[in-house]
């Protein structure tokens, strides 16, 4: 650990000594250091600006919908009144067993498990709301 610290200090001291002299290497190192600092500073400023723009995307979408709907404000109210006047009747779903669907699912399971369909019994089929394809 001590050897590494001594080596780092030697490099830093030589760079400082050369940059203080009027030699070409010292002036080149000083310009290279300034170029590095300016380049990294520019990159960080641009990254902060991009993060700011991305954080404002939700407001841009709201502004866009507001501009599109600006002239349609008076037309939306009668449509809403008509929709409120109509009674909402829930659709009745046919809950009877679909034997063809059960047969297809049983055949698919039997094929994937490599057993005969006689050994499988499908008791219920439930639909999941999540889609994990």
């Amino acid at each position: 650990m001590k050897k590494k610290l001594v080596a780092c200090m030697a490099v830093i001291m030589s760079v400082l000594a050369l940059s203080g002299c009027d030699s070409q290497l010292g002036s080149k190192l000083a310009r290279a250091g300034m170029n590095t600092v300016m380049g990294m500073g520019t990159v960080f400023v641009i990254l902060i600006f991009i993060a700011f723009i991305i954080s404002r995307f939700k407001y841009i979408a709201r502004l866009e919908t507001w501009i599109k709907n600006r002239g349609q404000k008076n037309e939306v109210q009668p449509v809403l009144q008509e929709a409120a006047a109509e009674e909402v009747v829930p659709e009745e779903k046919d809950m009877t067993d679909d034997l063809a669907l059960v047969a297809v699912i049983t055949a698919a399971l039997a094929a994937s498990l490599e057993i005969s369909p006689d050994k499988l019994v499908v008791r219920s089929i439930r639909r999941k709301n999540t889609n994990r394809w």
Side-chain angles (χ1 to χ4, degrees), residues 55-71:
S55 70
R56 300 298 169 212
F57 276 172
K58 59 184 173 184
Y59 300 117
I60 293 171
R62 288 181 189 170
L63 179 67
E64 185 177 329
T65 56
W66 179 77
I67 289 173
K68 285 182 182 177
N69 297 331
R70 186 173 43 181

Side-chain angles (χ1 to χ4, degrees), residues 31-52:
R31 280 190 281 149
M34 282 304 294
N35 286 341
T36 303
V37 170
M38 290 296 292
M40 291 175 68
T42 304
V43 168
F44 283 119
V45 168
I46 296 299
L47 286 175
I48 291 170
F49 179 70
I50 289 172
F52 176 75

